[in-house]
Amino acid sequence: MTSSEASGSSEVTTVSGIPLKVSYGPNDVPETAAQAAAVLPGEAPYLRGAHAQGYRSKPWRIFQLSGFGNPEDEAERIRYLLSKGGTGFIMEHDRMTGDHLYDVDHPEVVARREDVGISGAVILSARDFELALTGIDQSKYFAHPGGGVSQHAAFALAGYWTVAERRGLELHKLNGTGQADFFLTYIGCPPLTQIPPAAALRVNCDIVEYAAKVAPKWTPISMAAYNGADSGLNAYQELAALFACCVSHLDEIVARGNVPVEQVAYALGGVSFRVAMDFFEDICKLRVARKMWHRLLTTRYGITDPRALSLRIHIVTAGSAMTYQEPINNIVRGTVMGMAAVLGGVQSIGVSAYDEALSVPSEQAHRQSLRVQQILMHETNIPAVVDPLGGSYFIESLSAELEERAWAEFDRILDNGGFIQSLEDGSLHRMAGENAVAFQDSITSGDRKIVGVNLGDSDGDPFGIDGFEGSLDAFERGMARLKDLRASRDGRHVSRALDRLANTMRSGGNVMSGVMDAVRADASIGEVGDVYREVFGSWKFPVDF
Amino acid sequence: MEVPGGLLTGEPVRTHGKRVLMAKTSLDGHWRGINVVSRALRDAGYEVILAGMINADTIARVAGDEDVDLIGLNVGGRVEVVERILDTLASEAITVPVFAGGTIPHYAADRLAARGVECFPPGSTLEAIVEAADRLTAADPAASDHTP
């Protein structure tokens, strides 16, 4: 919320620029919005919640990102979080090797070897996945095995599933989610090289079709608009872009005709949004997301299955809202954002740790972020009533306004040729970039106040919190594991699997199936990456602003 | 001008002729920060070469070939990687001033300050960053070489 009280004006808007009145009454709620608000949670159009019983029937999943250093470090941190009350886990991989599909001895990695493992564990093969999952029961927990970036997704899923196979578990019983997220890959954190969006769309649909057969309980891919929002997309742009991205996938699935669109819609209907510090706007965004998903699936695809029509939402609280200055204040920010997620009725939450602006979380900060969720869940009674803000004149008015703007933006993206085209031509990047610059300008001008940053005269670090160092031997140990891997596996078996993968990619076969075979044969991440790069080439990031 | 990474910002609205090379030290990271800072520098009149994820050798080469007046490093990783970039610049006799921003813990900022690198952690204002750029390039005798 920005306020220009200093200039004597009383105009106040949301972060997305929606004007806010001083108070709201019945005349502020459009008739159609009032009708939707009169429907109970768990009933179409699901504005008020995906489930009638809300958190009474199923608490939200405490789903925190974790991982740094070596696979053993990651296993230890995941076990730690699960022992403290986490109810699922997200494996965070080293981005230099993971996002890029590079082996640790790739020249670009060696050039920055000290960075290896700083923000995720170095996981180079199925064997490394086994190490990272030591002591963790895959049949018990809902897992996100990594693969946020599109080109990494098939490898990460294959690694996790291969470990399950080696442990004698049946894939069709496993629960979890992939990501393969276009917002991370192409807007938020584009790697040095990445396969073009059209190739990623093809691979994503291959993953969906493969999972439909072998792991039907799994959410094979999940679009995380979080990474678009943290790059600058505002609330209604985030909604619009996410659904435009889902449309690009669903249209492709319909065109292929191999798997019923209802089934894919259900799988794709586990999405991720960002919650930041505009409390009510973000709550409304989550409510509206469910309503828009319902309308999109019914009108565009004729879907009637309620399981597909009720959107499930994972929330990550905004990393960018966490300040470097006076980091302990971030506990309050994490709490406020987590509370918005709960009031928005989401299924799964990850709260950023208070040392977010400094490093990956220390064990203490990680535990604290999990405690925020447990306090909200167990101490406050906030989860007792589903959609407790539903029917509020303000909430329904703001929800309606957001929805209207989101559909308008959605139509613009589709009129522009669709989501992929809007990535290719940089229009989404420009949209995000302009907002990011405007946001920063509002902090510079003082219109937007951030405690400890431009308000409160901070001296930087009064609480003595500094970055978590992690493990310093991740590069050397990764090199040793890679050497051992190459020496101890059946090299001809690997070569044949990689050849088959290349042929599959070229012939239009199922890429996920080919990656699975290569990973089962103990191919390394860089070897799989070489095939991707050879067949698909690389996309040029359209920075132009 | 072909810069590895292939990323160029648009032409500055007004230019004072000074050039800044913006690079990410790590293969990890979000682009929001470097984009916003690059845009602010461009708006302040700099010709910005937004090269992104280029390694130490390439930073040194581009800095030399493009005759830049300033190097901005977006740090998303360890201080040792930044120090290697500084070592590489020194070994190539490139004396262009360097400043840095990003997730830089205090101990790392102290080490970089000892090498003459001013750090702008999250929460730094664009005003302060542009002011530093102006100050650092004003002190650079090469800066006048291509002032229009």
Side-chain angles (χ1 to χ4, degrees):
Chain A
M1 187 178 78
T2 52
S3 157
S4 44
E5 282 164 45
S7 61
S9 152
S10 59
E11 187 189 321
V12 177
T13 69
T14 66
V15 169
S16 295
I18 297 173
L20 293 177
K21 299 168 66 167
V22 175
S23 62
Y24 286 77
N27 293 338
D28 294 309
V29 182
E31 181 56 32
T32 52
Q35 283 164 8
V39 177
L40 286 175
E43 290 175 24
Y46 306 104
L47 170 75
R48 302 199 52 214
H51 305 297
Q53 300 292 314
Y55 299 127
R56 294 200 196 189
S57 60
K58 197 173 183 186
W60 70 86
R61 177 178 302 114
I62 299 180
F63 205 40
Q64 301 278 144
L65 277 167
S66 47
F68 63 91
N70 301 293
E72 295 87 345
D73 298 318
E74 176 150 315
E76 188 184 338
R77 183 61 71 86
I78 291 171
R79 288 196 305 264
Y80 175 79
L81 291 173
L82 293 173
S83 77
K84 299 295 173 197
T87 50
F89 59 90
I90 305 177
M91 299 175 78
E92 187 74 354
H93 299 242
D94 168 55
R95 310 194 65 138
M96 304 179 74
T97 48
D99 288 5
H100 291 82
L101 297 181
Y102 287 156
D103 280 333
V104 74
D105 62 355
H106 189 285
E108 290 290 355
V109 178
V110 175
R112 307 153 171 95
R113 64 186 77 98
E114 294 85 356
D115 280 349
V116 169
I118 193 169
S119 60
V122 180
I123 297 179
L124 305 169
S125 68
R127 294 184 191 177
D128 287 358
F129 262 100
E130 288 185 83
L131 290 174
L133 292 164
T134 303
I136 297 158
D137 183 352
Q138 289 174 274
S139 68
K140 190 174 167 189
Y141 295 105
F142 187 96
H144 180 332
V149 165
S150 298
Q151 64 187 0
H152 185 213
F155 180 86
L157 282 173
Y160 186 86
W161 287 345
T162 297
V163 175
E165 285 179 341
R166 289 177 182 174
R167 290 174 171 181
L169 300 173
E170 294 172 282
L171 299 190
H172 69 265
K173 291 184 180 166
L174 291 186
N175 267 311
T177 181
Q179 189 170 334
D181 160 26
F182 281 31
F183 293 88
L184 178 67
T185 310
Y186 298 109
I187 299 178
C189 304
L192 182 59
T193 63
Q194 61 280 313
I195 61 174
L201 178 64
R202 179 248 171 130
V203 176
N204 275 6
C205 290
D206 288 353
I207 292 172
V208 166
E209 292 183 349
Y210 184 86
K213 270 186 258 166
V214 308
K217 291 171 77 175
W218 200 275
T219 301
I221 60 173
S222 172
M223 289 303 133
Y226 173 92
N227 297 293
D230 232 26
S231 302
L233 295 183
N234 69 29
Y236 56 86
Q237 292 165 344
E238 183 185 5
L239 288 164
L242 182 95
F243 292 128
C245 182
C246 290
V247 161
S248 67
H249 285 75
L250 292 171
D251 284 358
E252 171 70 11
I253 289 292
V254 169
R256 289 184 180 198
N258 297 330
V259 184
V261 69
E262 289 82 1
Q263 187 177 346
V264 177
Y266 172 71
L268 260 174
V271 299
S272 167
F273 285 105
R274 182 185 81 146
V275 162
M277 291 297 285
D278 197 316
F279 190 71
F280 291 114
E281 180 167 80
D282 283 330
I283 292 169
C284 292
K285 177 175 77 186
L286 302 173
R287 302 173 81 243
V288 163
R290 288 188 292 266
K291 185 161 176 254
M292 291 181 72
W293 180 247
H294 173 266
R295 177 170 148 192
L296 185 67
L297 294 197
T298 50
T299 58
R300 191 177 175 98
Y301 301 103
I303 292 172
T304 54
D305 179 356
R307 264 168 41 94
L309 294 175
S310 56
L311 185 70
R312 289 116 48 225
I313 301 173
H314 171 65
I315 281 300
V316 184
T317 64
S320 60
M322 298 308 215
T323 64
Y324 179 91
Q325 294 75 16
E326 302 185 5
I328 214 155
N329 295 337
N330 292 329
I331 295 173
V332 179
R333 297 187 177 98
T335 306
V336 168
M337 293 189 281
M339 203 161 98
V342 176
L343 290 169
V346 304
Q347 280 60 52
S348 168
I349 303 175
V351 170
S352 313
Y354 61 73
D355 54 5
E356 169 86 18
L358 293 154
S359 64
V360 298
S362 66
E363 190 173 274
Q364 184 189 43
H366 225 155
R367 182 180 63 198
Q368 201 287 321
S369 62
L370 187 146
R371 295 306 191 213
V372 166
Q373 297 208 44
Q374 290 173 315
I375 290 166
L376 288 171
M377 187 181 283
H378 300 294
E379 297 186 20
T380 64
N381 237 355
I382 292 173
V385 174
V386 191
D387 191 31
L389 302 182
S392 143
Y393 301 130
F394 170 47
I395 290 292
E396 300 304 349
S397 168
L398 183 56
S399 296
E401 176 70 26
L402 264 182
E403 183 181 351
E404 191 183 325
R405 290 182 184 222
W407 282 123
E409 201 66 60
F410 173 87
D411 290 342
R412 264 196 289 278
I413 295 171
L414 263 57
D415 289 347
N416 187 45
F419 181 80
I420 304 286
Q421 175 58 27
S422 301
L423 281 179
E424 295 280 8
D425 67 16
S427 54
L428 288 167
H429 300 85
R430 274 191 294 281
M431 199 188 275
E434 281 162 14
N435 289 344
V437 168
F439 190 87
Q440 197 62 39
D441 285 347
S442 70
I443 295 170
T444 303
S445 69
D447 279 350
R448 182 181 308 282
K449 303 279 193 294
I450 307 215
V451 172
V453 173
N454 64 356
L455 181 74
D457 196 20
S458 169
D459 58 359
D461 183 34
F463 304 114
I465 292 163
D466 212 339
F468 172 64
E469 275 236 74
S471 297
L472 299 172
D473 59 357
F475 174 74
E476 287 75 17
R477 286 174 61 183
M479 290 290 271
R481 288 198 310 283
L482 191 60
K483 193 175 163 201
D484 178 63
L485 178 81
R486 287 171 179 159
S488 63
R489 62 186 183 176
D490 180 344
R492 282 183 310 174
H493 189 194
V494 177
S495 299
R496 281 198 298 270
L498 291 169
D499 286 346
R500 280 199 305 275
L501 174 60
N503 289 336
T504 301
M505 284 180 173
R506 290 200 181 93
S507 69
N510 190 291
V511 173
M512 182 65 217
S513 171
V515 172
M516 194 73 188
D517 283 346
V519 169
R520 282 185 184 124
D522 284 323
S524 70
I525 190 168
E527 291 163 341
V528 171
D530 285 343
V531 179
Y532 270 76
R533 285 182 280 275
E534 187 193 326
V535 178
F536 293 134
S538 186
W539 184 66
K540 196 168 142 80
F541 184 30
V543 170
D544 167 27
F545 62 127
Chain B
M1 175 169 50
E2 189 61 31
V3 173
L7 309 174
L8 285 176
T9 60
E11 288 301 309
V13 179
R14 58 189 171 83
T15 178
H16 47 46
K18 289 176 187 167
R19 311 180 112 185
V20 53
L21 169 63
M22 297 292 287
K24 293 173 76 69
T25 65
S26 174
L27 289 188
D28 175 16
H30 294 257
W31 283 74
R32 179 175 178 150
I34 196 171
N35 286 348
V36 170
V37 171
S38 294
R39 166 84 165 251
L41 290 169
R42 193 197 70 181
D43 289 349
Y46 287 84
E47 288 177 23
V48 180
I49 303 170
L50 176 53
M53 295 170 166
I54 57 175
N55 61 39
D57 291 339
T58 312
I59 289 172
R61 187 171 58 73
V62 175
D65 289 354
E66 300 298 338
D67 196 19
V68 301
D69 303 290
L70 178 64
I71 299 171
L73 299 177
N74 172 213
V75 180
R78 292 198 193 276
V79 67
E80 289 83 357
V81 177
V82 189
E83 288 170 335
R84 178 174 304 113
I85 293 167
L86 300 177
D87 291 344
T88 305
L89 290 171
S91 72
E92 300 289 323
I94 291 169
T95 56
V96 175
V98 178
F99 68 170
T103 49
I104 308 173
H106 299 271
Y107 66 84
D110 291 344
R111 273 167 65 166
L112 293 177
R115 299 282 300 263
V117 175
E118 208 167 326
C119 290
F120 293 88
S124 302
T125 65
L126 294 174
E127 264 176 339
I129 293 168
V130 170
E131 182 275 321
D134 291 346
R135 178 163 37 78
L136 291 165
T137 54
D140 172 14
S144 58
D145 291 356
H146 40 245
T147 301

